[in-house]
């Protein structure tokens, strides 16, 4: 029997794109989108949608039963910047959502789980260049602490209960279809919209803040390649390092100026600068390459070309 997938957090930056890709692969009726708020028109009109607050475990069970769900992609979370502003909700949502889903795996109600981690699991004492898979991890944000705890729980449920849970430590994601949901890397999406609408942008990170990033088509492909890989190839059950492209605000500004020569960039750091300073600058993803063949396709200029041509059409 064909799997049916539940995506929780389908209205967010990743869900908006991941749902459509999975519907293409599995068939529209085999992908149930869900969120506390409505998703994009495309998602709402192309297949089933259920309103779900993931904190409500009874409602989760009802939806899983109703649609005979066999796989869950859990995307609902508070991201780094938002979680710093609402510590309690950040911790509760990020941890309880995961424990509800891991328990469905332990009870053998569902057979496969995807849960994303983040480069935020690393902290100020982590080596920042080509950050290894296994290294010092002392995250100092609510979000990073929740992701690190989540990774430990995923590995624990795999080892103790045989739960097939898979995870990627996404870098900052850049895409044109949906707005980002309150992260430290959001500047790299806002900059394109502001460049096209107003010809200028004020960055909340300073010019020199190099961070690991990834273009959304690469992130969606990494997610699906990991989830479709034979179980024996998925040797890391905490979360995989994956690398896309690293750049700093002044480099992305220069790329945008190739297309829009009059574009002006200015800088005004805020509280997100300290979060960015604690994260890696580049990532060593050799385990993902060796275990399930990961390789990113987009560099900074290819990403910029694609962002600008899609957003030009949108505006
Ligand atoms: P997002 O904020 O854009 O989307 C999250 C979605 O979850 C939103 O649509 C929101 O309405 C929904 N949600 C919030 N509370 C909910 C609840 N109680 N019940 C159900 N839904 C709820 O986030 P995203 O960028 O799509 O990120 C998805 C996942 O990927 C998160 O776990 C995030 O930590 C991780 N991640 C994202 C990035 C990135 O750059 N976007 C990087 C690293 C990791
Ligand atoms: N892009 C995310 C954030 O900034 C990283 O997990 O929160």
């Amino acid at each position: 029997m064909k799997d049916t997938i539940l995506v929780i957090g389908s209205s967010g930056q990743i869900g908006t794109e991941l749902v459509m890709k999975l519907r293409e692969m599995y068939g529209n009726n085999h992908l149930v989108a869900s969120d506390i708020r409505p998703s994009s028109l495309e998602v709402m009109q192309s297949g089933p949608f259920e309103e779900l607050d993931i904190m409500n475990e009874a409602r989760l069970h009802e939806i899983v039963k109703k649609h005979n769900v066999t796989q869950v992609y859990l995307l609902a979370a508070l991201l780094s910047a938002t979680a710093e502003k609402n510590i309690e909700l950040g911790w509760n949502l990020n941890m309880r959502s995961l424990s509800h889903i891991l328990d469905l795996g332990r009870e053998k109600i569902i057979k496969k789980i995807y849960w994303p981690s983040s480069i935020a699991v690393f902290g100020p004492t982590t080596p920042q260049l080509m950050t290894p898979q296994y290294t010092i991890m002392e995250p100092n944000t609510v979000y990073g602490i929740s992701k690190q705890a989540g990774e430990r729980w995923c590995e624990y449920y795999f080892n103790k209960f045989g739960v097939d849970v898979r995870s990627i430590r996404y870098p900052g994601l850049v895409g044109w279809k949906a707005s980002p949901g309150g992260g430290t890397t959001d500047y790299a999406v806002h900059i394109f919209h502001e460049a096209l609408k107003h010809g200028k942008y004020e960055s909340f990170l300073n010019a020199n803040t190099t961070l690991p990033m990834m273009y959304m088509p690469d992130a969606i492909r990494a997610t699906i390649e990991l989830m479709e890989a034979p179980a024996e190839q998925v040797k890391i059950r905490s979360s995989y390092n994956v690398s896309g492209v690293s750049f700093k605000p002044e480099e992305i500004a220069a790329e945008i100026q190739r297309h829009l020569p009059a574009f002006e960039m200015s800088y005004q750091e805020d509280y997100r600068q300290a979060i960015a300073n604690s994260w890696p600058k580049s990532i060593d993803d050799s385990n993902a390459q060796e275990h399930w063949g990961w390789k990113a396709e987009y560099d900074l200029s290819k990403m910029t070309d694609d962002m600008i041509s899609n957003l030009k059409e949108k505006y």
Side-chain angles (χ1 to χ4, degrees):
M1 208 174 70
K2 208 167 170 183
D3 276 338
T4 294
I5 299 172
L6 174 65
V7 171
I8 301 165
S10 61
S11 313
Q13 193 193 6
I14 301 173
T16 300
E17 304 209 26
L18 186 62
V19 165
M20 297 313 297
K21 186 69 204 169
L22 289 170
R23 281 197 171 142
E24 213 179 286
M25 292 170 61
Y26 282 80
N28 288 352
N29 288 328
H30 285 270
L31 190 299
V32 183
S34 71
D35 204 294
I36 40 170
R37 59 184 171 123
S39 294
S40 69
L41 215 57
E42 200 185 16
V43 166
M44 299 299 284
Q45 289 179 347
S46 57
F49 174 86
E50 297 281 358
E51 195 177 308
L52 169 66
D53 178 349
I54 184 57
M55 305 299 261
N56 183 343
E57 204 173 5
R59 171 82 179 127
L60 168 69
H61 280 249
E62 186 187 307
I63 292 169
V64 166
K65 198 168 169 199
K66 175 178 165 193
H67 294 277
N68 293 315
V69 169
T70 49
Q71 295 188 29
V72 171
Y73 285 64
L74 172 59
L75 304 177
L78 281 202
L79 275 76
S80 59
T82 319
E84 285 308 297
K85 298 276 183 202
N86 196 341
I87 297 175
E88 211 165 305
L89 180 63
W91 177 250
N92 282 340
L93 173 63
N94 294 5
M95 298 321 304
R96 278 182 49 201
S97 57
L98 179 59
S99 78
H100 288 165
I101 301 304
L102 287 174
D103 282 339
L104 285 176
R106 179 184 176 178
E107 289 156 23
K108 308 291 175 213
I109 295 171
I110 54 169
K111 57 182 193 188
K112 215 194 266 186
I113 296 167
Y114 180 75
W115 170 83
S117 183
S118 159
I119 52 163
V121 289
F122 302 114
T125 51
T126 302
Q128 284 194 315
L129 293 178
M130 290 302 279
T131 300
Q133 174 73 39
Y134 302 105
T135 185
I136 302 167
M137 292 163 90
E138 295 182 317
N140 61 3
T141 61
V142 180
Y143 177 68
I145 295 167
S146 75
K147 289 295 183 186
Q148 197 196 31
E151 288 192 8
R152 298 290 87 228
W153 281 117
C154 288
E155 193 183 84
Y156 185 89
Y157 269 66
F158 173 75
N159 286 333
K160 288 273 174 179
F161 310 120
V163 173
D164 187 355
V165 53
R166 305 175 182 205
S167 176
I168 282 174
R169 292 172 181 155
Y170 290 131
L173 302 182
V174 178
W176 58 272
K177 286 200 175 159
S179 304
T184 302
T185 56
D186 292 8
Y187 91 88
V189 180
H190 297 321
I191 190 172
F192 286 99
H193 293 266
E194 294 304 306
L196 284 163
K197 282 193 295 191
H198 306 297
K200 58 182 181 178
Y201 179 65
E202 184 177 274
S203 170
F204 55 77
L205 298 182
N206 72 37
N208 224 2
T209 314
T210 301
L211 285 170
M213 300 280 191
M214 184 177 276
Y215 195 37
M216 193 60 86
D218 271 341
I220 300 295
R221 188 168 54 80
T223 307
I224 288 169
E225 284 179 8
L226 174 65
M227 283 299 275
E228 296 293 314
E232 61 278 10
Q233 285 180 21
V234 185
K235 297 186 175 110
I236 293 174
R237 295 298 183 147
S238 50
S239 190
Y240 275 96
N241 273 12
V242 293
S243 173
V245 50
S246 286
F247 56 81
K248 46 185 154 183
E250 69 180 13
E251 288 168 335
I252 193 171
E255 275 298 319
I256 290 174
Q257 279 157 351
R258 271 198 307 116
H259 296 263
L260 306 165
F263 172 65
E264 284 172 28
M265 180 84 151
S266 57
Y267 302 91
Q268 183 62 54
E269 292 176 20
D270 69 11
Y271 69 101
R272 289 168 281 193
Q273 185 66 47
I275 302 178
N277 290 346
S278 76
W279 288 354
K281 296 184 186 306
S282 57
I283 298 289
D284 175 355
D285 65 0
S286 43
N287 287 114
Q289 291 178 36
E290 281 160 27
H291 296 177
W292 43 276
W294 168 244
K295 192 176 181 338
E297 276 178 12
Y298 284 85
D299 61 15
L300 178 57
S301 82
K302 197 171 164 193
M303 177 188 96
T304 306
D305 294 350
D306 201 61
M307 280 294 284
I308 293 209
S309 77
N310 280 298
L311 286 176
K312 260 188 179 161
E313 229 172 89
K314 189 171 167 178
Y315 285 119

